[in-house]
Amino acid sequence: MTMAVEAAAPDDRPYSPGLEGVLAGETSLGYVDGANGRLLYRGYPIGELVVKGNYPAVANLLWTDTWEPGYHLPTAPVPAQVIGVLRSLPKTAKPMDALRTAVSAWGAVSNLPWPPTDEQARAITSFSPSALAAFARLRAGLEPIDPDPSLNLVEGFLYQLKGEKPDPGTARALDAYFIVGAEHGFNASTFTARVVTSTRSDIASAVSAAIGTMKGPLHGGAPSEVVDQLAQIQDAEHAEQWVLDTLARGDRLMGFGHRVYRAYDPRAAALRKVAEDMPTRPDWLQKAIDVEDVVLRVLAEKHPDRALKTNVEYYAAPVLMGVGLTPDLFAATFSLARHAGWTAHVLEQAADNRLIRPDVRYIGHSERHLP
Ligand code: ACO
């Protein structure tokens, strides 16, 4: 006897491609107020945190909801097995691949029982800068440098990268970049970290998956392209023609526009001030400031109905160049900064966990049978 195959009932539940506008969780960590250009961590405005805080205190705020301005968080040593893994990578490996691999290897040699703890969050956040610095030195034919426990995390990272302690102005500038990069709601990498945690997997698995997500150029790649674009502009007088030509080709102006912000990105405002105060700012900073005015004017003329403003990546570029990082380290350095937010979200997810497992609408063949 044959059974008639029933056609599937149409699935007309709401669907938003890219989950845009979908509430997929609740958080007490960061508030991204795109309409008003506001970013709060645990209620504190990002501008105040940059002026009065440092990265360890901000990370501790995200993990524990307490404000301890003198909180000390040095970088941590890289276990010998992880150094062995980094030595085995080709010198041409991308820093994001090396960092993701180092975090994965660290997870394999660490004891990380469920549920994740503040201590685990601190451990991985202080391990990763040492691992990235070690890889950067190994690929240059240099030996890794042990952490100096008297230095706070960002100073320690620069010391282990370059072999000499940074001057306070340089350390302060990179610390400010780490603060503005620490947390930003349900961005793709943070959401990834929460999905991994929701399965009761460990914090190293969550962070290595988050690094893999941030590696994509739609997420972590813009500041190095800002450097490339500014290099193409001779000076501010030639900027307007360059902007018009770029738009006519259908290309995007890097460092402008944002999915959430309709007002000026508050992180860009904070980093512009940091860049202007840097002891070693790049000589093209003034050109960047002049070009920004031209770009904002042209974008406003082209898109009168859609506010396209400067985003964080525009002024991240001069800060990162000014502290002496090469553009191929920019995305991995952004990942180091985002460790505080990723791990805080891991803790928040674990504290009130429900497996994240959405539905999908099936659009394939109706049921059929092999001949
Ligand atoms: N340059 C030129 N035109 C732009 C730009 C830009 N930077 N951003 C948006 N537009 C235009 C688009 O071409 C589009 O025009 P159309 O309606 O005529 O087709 C319109 O503005 C809307 O663009 P969307 O892509 O829908 O805007 P969305 O807000 O989704 O995009 C994004 C956000 C991806 C950041 C975009 O602005 C962009 O590509 N910017 C450049 C890359 C960049 O700076 N990325 C870093 C973002 S910050 C971060 O990730 C930490």
Side-chain angles (χ1 to χ4, degrees):
M1 196 173 83
T2 53
M3 303 274 287
V5 177
E6 285 177 31
D11 185 350
D12 53 8
R13 290 174 294 171
Y15 161 53
S16 174
L19 299 186
E20 190 170 351
V22 172
L23 285 178
E26 292 183 322
T27 186
S28 314
L29 300 172
Y31 177 45
V32 184
D33 178 3
N36 298 304
R38 233 169 17 132
L39 172 63
L40 312 179
Y41 293 172
R42 297 271 192 192
Y44 298 113
I46 191 69
E48 282 179 33
L49 291 166
V50 167
V51 172
K52 297 189 177 168
N54 62 21
Y55 181 73
V58 166
N60 185 56
L61 172 71
L62 290 168
W63 295 325
T64 65
D65 197 16
T66 54
W67 181 241
E68 291 178 47
Y71 184 78
H72 185 62
L73 182 69
T75 55
V78 181
Q81 299 100 317
V82 180
I83 290 285
V85 170
L86 291 175
R87 281 189 199 282
S88 73
L89 295 178
K91 288 188 163 74
T92 51
K94 291 192 170 71
M96 284 296 266
D97 289 327
L99 181 63
R100 190 195 59 235
T101 303
V103 166
S104 183
W106 179 86
V109 300
S110 304
N111 181 27
L112 301 168
W114 175 271
T117 59
D118 296 0
E119 202 41 59
Q120 292 178 11
R122 274 190 279 276
I124 196 165
T125 302
S126 55
F127 155 79
S128 287
S130 300
L132 180 61
F135 173 72
R137 291 183 70 80
L138 287 169
R139 72 176 180 170
L142 300 166
E143 276 306 296
I145 294 176
D146 288 335
D148 177 340
S150 72
L151 301 178
N152 246 331
L153 187 134
V154 173
E155 285 175 287
F157 168 58
L158 285 171
Y159 164 60
Q160 286 166 264
L161 191 65
K162 298 181 178 184
E164 56 189 42
K165 293 182 184 161
D167 67 82
T170 298
R172 179 81 196 102
L174 189 61
D175 193 272
Y177 171 79
F178 269 57
I179 292 172
V180 305
E183 152 62 10
H184 211 235
F186 260 33
N187 55 85
S189 58
T190 300
F191 188 57
T192 300
R194 289 191 75 130
V195 171
V196 174
T197 301
S198 81
T199 70
R200 295 200 183 181
S201 186
D202 61 89
I203 198 166
S205 300
V207 170
S208 59
I211 295 168
T213 308
M214 188 173 262
K215 187 184 167 199
L218 295 188
H219 194 356
S224 56
E225 297 188 48
V226 171
V227 176
D228 294 344
Q229 287 197 338
L230 282 169
Q232 292 168 28
I233 304 172
Q234 197 182 334
D235 53 39
E237 277 172 34
H238 293 82
E240 180 151 356
Q241 195 53 52
W242 181 89
V243 169
L244 292 171
D245 292 347
T246 303
L247 293 177
R249 284 196 306 273
D251 289 346
R252 298 258 165 136
L253 301 160
M254 303 313 286
F256 295 89
H258 196 273
R259 176 60 67 80
V260 180
Y261 289 119
R262 289 292 154 256
Y264 200 98
D265 183 335
R267 303 169 299 172
L271 283 187
R272 172 176 168 165
K273 176 93 184 61
V274 168
E276 286 173 320
D277 292 346
M278 279 176 79
T280 52
R281 57 183 174 266
D283 49 15
W284 45 263
L285 177 63
Q286 189 53 49
K287 179 168 81 173
I289 292 169
D290 296 341
V291 168
E292 180 189 18
D293 290 340
V294 175
V295 172
L296 289 176
R297 179 167 48 75
V298 175
L299 283 176
E301 285 161 11
K302 288 250 169 212
H303 297 277
D305 301 329
R306 184 172 183 101
L308 294 171
K309 306 285 189 200
T310 316
N311 68 47
V312 61
E313 309 290 21
Y314 193 72
Y315 284 109
V319 171
L320 293 173
M321 287 293 274
V323 303
L325 296 181
T326 51
D328 76 335
L329 286 173
F330 286 5
T333 305
F334 182 18
S335 291
L336 297 182
R338 189 51 64 83
H339 270 53
W342 287 334
T343 53
H345 276 274
V346 164
L347 297 175
E348 190 176 54
Q349 178 68 34
D352 186 16
N353 190 40
R354 180 155 174 81
L355 178 70
I356 298 175
R357 202 303 184 191
D359 266 356
V360 64
R361 179 182 293 154
Y362 178 68
I363 56 165
H365 293 290
S366 352
E367 183 174 333
R368 55 185 177 158
H369 297 282
L370 295 170

